[in-house]
Amino acid sequence: MWLMLVTVGDIIKKEEIESHPQRNILTNAVGVVGNLKVDIFPLTNETMTILLCSDGLHGYVEEEEIRKVLITKGTLQKKAQKLITLANNAGGYDNTTIVLVELKEGE
């Protein structure tokens, strides 16, 4: 299984994520230009849930908090709602968009 991601920013070191001046700059977007630059890499066998989100979530909720929600038991809908609640409770000054995909064994 392979995951394809749209590149949405500079290559930023993990320790710079919260403070890098270009952390919110889009360098590519679907439907804006004719050529789309993508990153493709293999998923590990441990990958069971994929989260695609806007900065309304990752800009307000710590990565570890997000991970805890994703590994808990429950439906994708309940996990998405919990993540939106966390974002809103953390300030919620931006729109929050979340897409969760769950991979089943053998997919």
Side-chain angles (χ1 to χ4, degrees), residues 48-50 70 74-83 98 100-103:
M48 296 307 289
T49 304
I50 297 172
L70 295 179
T75 65
L76 294 180
Q77 183 174 352
K78 287 184 181 185
K79 291 177 185 185
Q81 187 57 55
K82 174 66 175 173
L83 292 171
I98 295 174
L100 287 173
V101 178
E102 188 172 69
L103 302 173

Side-chain angles (χ1 to χ4, degrees), residues 3 7 17 24:
L3 175 64
T7 302
I17 288 174
N24 293 328

Side-chain angles (χ1 to χ4, degrees), residues 3 30 32 37 42 46 63 69 83 92 99-100:
L3 175 64
V30 176
V32 176
K37 183 175 76 175
E46 297 88 36
E63 186 177 330
V69 171
L83 292 171
V99 176
L100 287 173

Side-chain angles (χ1 to χ4, degrees), residues 27-39:
T27 60
N28 200 0
V30 176
V32 176
V33 294
N35 295 328
L36 182 65
K37 183 175 76 175
V38 296
D39 297 324

